[in-house]
Amino acid sequence: MRRLAVAWLAFAWLAAGVAGCAHGPQRIGERPSWRRGARAGAVSAPVTFAPASEPAARYNESPPPVPHTALHDAVIAAVRDTAARVGIAAPLADARLFRACAELAEVVPEEGVIAYTLVEFALQHNGIIEPSPHLLVVWGDISSPELIVQELQPRLAELLGDGATARLGVGVARRKPDGTGAVVFALQGSGVTTLPIPRAIAAGGNVAIDAVVDPRYHDPEMFVTYAGGDTQRLELRPGRPGGFIAQLLCGGHRGRQQIEITASDAAGSTVLANFPVWCAAQPPVSVTVDPSRDDEPAATTEQIERHLLASVNRDRAAAGLPALAWDDGLAAVARAHSDEMRRTHVVAHISPTTGSAADRVRAAGIRTGVVLENVARAYGVHEAHDGLMNSPGHRANLMSPVATQIGIGVVFGDEVSGRREMFITQVFTRVPPRIDRKQAIAVVRQKFKAARPRLVDSATLDGLAQQLADGLAAGNAPDVAYRAISKQVTGLGMIYQRVGSVITAVADLDAVDGAGLLGGARPDEIGVGIAQGPHPQIGDNAIWIVALLADRRAL
């Protein structure tokens, strides 16, 4: 009898924010992380994955009973015994995950790492929206369930302890005439439940996504990346207790629309679900991956960082967005965070030692009004970039029209199946570009008038507001800058009953809220001044905005 060989395929988190061994608790929304037993080597030929099972018509349908086989029953019993021993509820034996494991067993390579694209396709083909199973792959003689369980047993307590406690599955495929085959075993966590969601919607149709988030998480959000590449945050309205409802509208969209549900816990934002819905089209029944596309392992982390930068700016150019400028200071921040993730094997935004991305940027002495962050673990440059672009939340950061600077930090982890594990952090900030003052004043003035249409422009107030804005941009404190115009303002007492001022600084004019700045005031006249200069939080080129608002005296 051939000896069984075990490979552990866990998943490393992809996280987006405006911000085994030593794994730590499992995070939702992760990518492959092979451990122990996988032999060196790589599959170079393209692989077409076409599951024979009928594809699910809807995500999260109630699964049918799991078929009884000697292997199924033995694995389920082993998981239940282990869960009872460690004092946690046993995962549900989910027929959908059993089918996905059986289909993956048909294509999992004996050497090298199975493409995550295939894992993701198998889950979605069977109606599963969570992207985060832990997989154990056993190769060898598959005729003895007892031997297979014996190989799986040492890992079960660890995986259950990592939080993979929602559902389990196992599948087997004979791959060679001598009886050798593959067994794929999966344990999966979950942080969200939904009512059934159709995988395909008719042209112009819509679907309500009715979800409930696990109490461990808070502040849920939902994003969609449309087939054209634009990403949008969907409005959430109250739903069932602890849940929400969002409407996905196909409208004129056709093809694949990628949906993502995120929420936060103590470690920051995490992806709870990431799945496609197809408008005016049917989901594909097969997928082809080319392992050779993920280029040869780079010699240095610096090469990987530059490759990722090129990929980001290539996709931004295709979307009509300006390139991001490399920032060495941000790269140093990103590398330090990636190194912490390597040491702790926890891929997260919030660190118990360094805080949030904004905290890390601030500690480095970098002043900016915008901080965005992506973190990930991957095994190839293309896998990393494609995975981030396939996640609406991460894609929104990569394609942000507000970001102008980027720093990328890559740190190597373990060598697995001949490939180096990579911990990746991308930090995005904004240095406001030089603006056309006249155009900017017109934009700001219009924002105020949108909230108070009867506002009248005053050339006198414009001049004073500009003088005050220039003083602020020169680095003067507000009270010092105001003293320079105070006598002139007092001299307007014959015309105005009251003159008030609104002072703010922004990194982008889109952040200006005219109604919010007016509050309850109902002035008659307005003067606007704008200048650019340093700001203690926003940094260089901050846009200083001054609005003088006046009430005319009654005639």
Side-chain angles (χ1 to χ4, degrees):
M1 179 180 293
R2 287 189 56 180
R3 183 179 181 276
L4 297 176
V6 183
W8 175 4
L9 175 60
F11 283 78
W13 189 33
L14 290 174
V18 185
C21 309
H23 262 51
Q26 185 201 11
R27 303 290 296 175
I28 309 297
E30 311 192 358
R31 300 190 73 76
S33 169
W34 285 89
R35 287 290 185 278
R36 303 190 185 103
R39 288 172 285 174
V43 179
S44 59
V47 176
T48 296
F49 182 39
S53 66
E54 186 73 18
R58 301 197 296 177
Y59 295 109
N60 282 350
E61 291 274 23
S62 296
V66 174
H68 285 284
T69 70
L71 176 62
H72 291 177
D73 294 346
V75 170
I76 292 171
V79 172
R80 288 175 176 169
D81 289 346
T82 302
R85 191 171 66 253
V86 298
I88 62 176
L92 172 71
D94 190 316
R96 301 173 303 162
L97 194 54
F98 274 71
R99 283 196 303 270
C101 289
E103 290 158 357
L104 289 170
E106 297 282 356
V107 295
V108 63
E110 188 172 5
E111 298 181 349
V113 177
I114 189 173
Y116 179 71
T117 301
L118 302 184
V119 179
E120 183 181 56
F121 187 89
L123 295 176
Q124 294 164 2
H125 179 84
N126 287 286
I128 297 173
I129 63 174
E130 294 92 345
S132 56
H134 279 293
L135 299 180
L136 282 167
V137 180
V138 179
W139 269 95
D141 188 334
I142 61 174
S143 62
S144 173
E146 293 78 12
L147 285 177
I148 293 170
V149 169
Q150 183 179 334
E151 292 293 335
L152 296 176
Q153 196 84 50
R155 303 283 181 254
L156 295 182
E158 183 176 4
L159 295 181
L160 290 169
D162 279 351
T165 58
R167 60 179 67 97
L168 70 92
V170 66
V172 62
R174 179 175 173 174
R175 297 285 291 275
K176 295 181 180 180
D178 65 359
T180 299
V183 175
V184 175
F185 168 77
L187 282 172
Q188 187 172 40
S190 178
V192 64
T193 60
T194 72
L195 296 183
I197 303 167
R199 297 183 66 213
I201 307 173
N206 66 87
V207 61
I209 299 175
D210 188 330
V212 174
V213 174
D214 188 278
R216 294 172 293 167
Y217 300 98
H218 56 85
D219 298 329
E221 293 184 292
M222 183 177 293
F223 302 88
V224 56
T225 295
Y226 295 107
D230 294 334
T231 297
Q232 176 184 340
R233 179 185 279 106
L234 297 181
E235 180 181 356
L236 307 184
R237 55 187 174 87
R240 293 173 289 159
F244 61 84
I245 298 173
Q247 289 286 337
L248 173 65
L249 307 177
C250 279
H253 300 288
R254 303 179 68 87
R256 178 181 180 132
Q257 325 300 323
Q258 192 72 22
I259 309 296
E260 185 170 75
I261 300 173
T262 69
S264 296
D265 64 2
S269 178
T270 184
V271 178
L272 303 183
N274 188 12
F275 58 96
V277 170
W278 298 79
C279 290
Q282 290 299 311
V285 295
S286 67
V287 63
T288 299
V289 297
D290 185 357
S292 64
R293 179 178 176 268
D294 224 335
D295 41 10
E296 291 297 319
T300 67
T301 54
E302 289 78 8
Q303 289 176 346
I304 298 173
E305 291 166 358
R306 294 296 173 172
H307 195 145
L308 288 170
L309 173 66
S311 297
V312 171
N313 283 334
R314 176 201 65 213
D315 288 347
R316 287 178 65 89
L321 294 168
L324 298 175
W326 180 266
D327 187 296
D328 285 334
L330 293 177
V333 171
R335 290 177 190 131
H337 188 57
S338 291
D339 189 56
E340 179 179 328
M341 293 192 298
R342 175 194 63 81
R343 297 193 311 270
T344 62
H345 277 269
V346 175
V347 183
H349 291 296
I350 307 297
S351 160
T353 57
T354 63
S356 68
D359 293 331
R360 291 186 285 274
V361 168
R362 189 181 306 113
I366 299 171
R367 297 180 300 175
T368 178
V370 174
V371 179
L372 307 172
E373 183 183 70
N374 289 339
V375 294
R377 178 169 58 187
Y379 293 86
V381 178
H382 287 295
E383 176 190 88
H385 181 70
D386 291 351
L388 291 166
M389 287 293 286
N390 192 46
S391 162
H394 299 86
R395 184 188 184 99
N397 288 345
L398 291 163
M399 299 289 104
S400 170
V402 174
T404 61
Q405 320 295 117
I406 187 172
I408 302 174
V410 177
V411 174
F412 284 136
D414 298 334
E415 182 172 322
V416 181
S417 293
R419 301 174 72 185
R420 294 296 298 275
E421 181 180 42
M422 297 183 299
F423 291 87
I424 301 167
T425 302
Q426 298 171 327
V427 182
F428 310 82
T429 61
R430 177 176 178 81
V431 174
R434 300 303 300 180
I435 61 174
D436 182 290
R437 178 180 292 180
K438 289 184 178 180
Q439 290 181 2
I441 288 174
V443 168
V444 171
R445 197 188 305 276
Q446 185 55 41
K447 287 177 178 284
F448 277 101
K449 289 185 176 181
R452 174 79 170 143
R454 296 179 61 182
L455 270 176
V456 175
D457 298 337
S458 166
T460 300
L461 295 178
D462 281 344
L464 294 174
Q466 188 58 55
Q467 188 176 342
L468 179 52
D470 289 339
L472 294 167
N476 294 316
D479 58 337
V480 174
Y482 189 80
R483 280 201 296 268
I485 66 167
S486 61
K487 288 185 179 180
Q488 294 163 280
V489 172
T490 302
L492 297 175
M494 297 295 293
I495 305 173
Y496 301 115
Q497 178 181 341
R498 183 183 301 107
V499 177
S501 63
V502 172
I503 299 174
T504 188
V506 296
D508 185 84
L509 291 178
D510 287 342
V512 178
D513 177 7
L517 292 174
L518 279 174
R522 301 176 63 82
D524 301 309
E525 296 186 15
I526 185 172
V528 177
I530 289 181
Q532 286 186 270
H535 184 275
Q537 281 78 47
I538 299 173
D540 295 338
N541 281 356
I543 304 171
W544 287 93
I545 299 172
V546 174
L548 294 182
L549 306 169
D551 298 333
R552 291 193 69 89
R553 289 191 178 279
L555 297 177

